[in-house]
Amino acid sequence: MMKGVPNYLVALAIIALACSVASAYDPAPLQDFCVAVNTSTDAVFVNGKFCKDPKLVTPNDFFFQGLNTPRNTANPLGSNVTLLDVSKILGLNTLGVSLARIDFAPYGLNPPHTHPRATEILVVVEGTLYVGFVTSNPENRFFTKTLNAGDVFVFPIGLIHFQFNVGKTNAVAFSGLGSQNPGLIVIAKNIFGANPPINPDVLVKAFQLDTNVVESLQKKFM
């Protein structure tokens, strides 16, 4: 301890330093972008939603019913994701968490995708899922597991990942995500279904595919 300096001043200095370090970064955005405006007339509120007067809050603001009901998986992928984010449960605003139920038909797939704003932790409650994620360049390491009921797997924030039902029966999983608005980028759909379309020459070179193949994929995902 420095001589002549009261203990409480040292403690206050340490707290101040800790607070300055903790706040010395931009908060993670809860939307894809935020373009600055010079006047408030054209502005919108971002990084959350406007808050309800606490005196008007009710239990229903924190409630959702029916997540036990199986979802329809009659689609080309054979899967259905029910996401409970801040748009479904308003009480999630500012709490940094959301929840999803994922239903799979036999051999159904939740295709390769990323969540730009959230880590995901998944638990299988029914069936058998083949899951995995790929790390960023240059390693591109593939981490994978086959999960059965009761097994848990984590998908780090921003990394491409998937879940595939390798069983002959339906499968169900639940995921917790570390954002009230985790975001979703489905690799194939976002690239080949971009609006307006990405110039096929770009995709031909990027994926080393024939032009006819690229144009066919774009038509499929539009």
Side-chain angles (χ1 to χ4, degrees), residues 32-108:
D32 289 334
F33 51 78
C34 176
V35 179
V37 293
N38 292 321
T39 63
S40 61
T41 55
D42 298 320
V44 295
F45 189 78
V46 298
N47 242 30
K49 294 180 178 292
F50 287 107
C51 296
K52 179 186 286 190
D53 184 337
K55 296 176 183 177
L56 302 177
V57 171
T58 73
N60 285 334
D61 292 318
F62 304 93
F63 177 74
F64 180 91
Q65 189 172 39
L67 203 59
N68 61 315
T69 304
R71 267 48 180 181
N72 184 2
T73 56
N75 58 64
L77 291 172
S79 68
N80 190 320
V81 179
T82 304
L83 175 64
L84 301 184
D85 60 7
V86 70
S87 68
K88 301 290 195 331
I89 302 177
L90 298 178
L92 288 176
N93 192 39
T94 74
L95 298 184
V97 67
S98 55
L99 177 70
R101 172 183 173 130
I102 314 172
D103 288 86
F104 300 85
Y107 306 109

Side-chain angles (χ1 to χ4, degrees), residues 127-152:
T128 301
L129 297 180
Y130 170 63
V131 307
F133 67 84
V134 181
T135 65
S136 56
N137 289 333
E139 289 84 6
N140 295 321
R141 291 185 64 192
F142 179 43
F143 291 80
T144 183
K145 273 284 189 182
T146 298
L147 307 180
N148 296 300
D151 292 342
V152 175

Side-chain angles (χ1 to χ4, degrees), residues 108-172:
L109 172 69
N110 190 15
H113 62 280
T114 73
H115 302 293
R117 295 181 286 275
T119 290
E120 175 180 355
I121 182 168
L122 175 141
V123 58
V124 178
V125 297
E126 180 182 334
T128 301
L129 297 180
Y130 170 63
V131 307
F133 67 84
V134 181
T135 65
S136 56
N137 289 333
E139 289 84 6
N140 295 321
R141 291 185 64 192
F142 179 43
F143 291 80
T144 183
K145 273 284 189 182
T146 298
L147 307 180
N148 296 300
D151 292 342
V152 175
F153 199 77
V154 174
F155 305 99
I157 184 172
L159 298 187
I160 296 173
H161 60 282
F162 65 88
Q163 300 99 25
F164 179 52
N165 181 7
V166 293
K168 297 180 180 180
T169 61
N170 293 337
V172 180

Side-chain angles (χ1 to χ4, degrees), residues 192 198-211 214:
F192 293 103
I198 298 173
N199 187 317
D201 292 341
V202 174
L203 303 180
V204 165
K205 199 166 188 70
F207 290 93
Q208 298 294 290
L209 296 173
D210 183 83
T211 301
V214 168

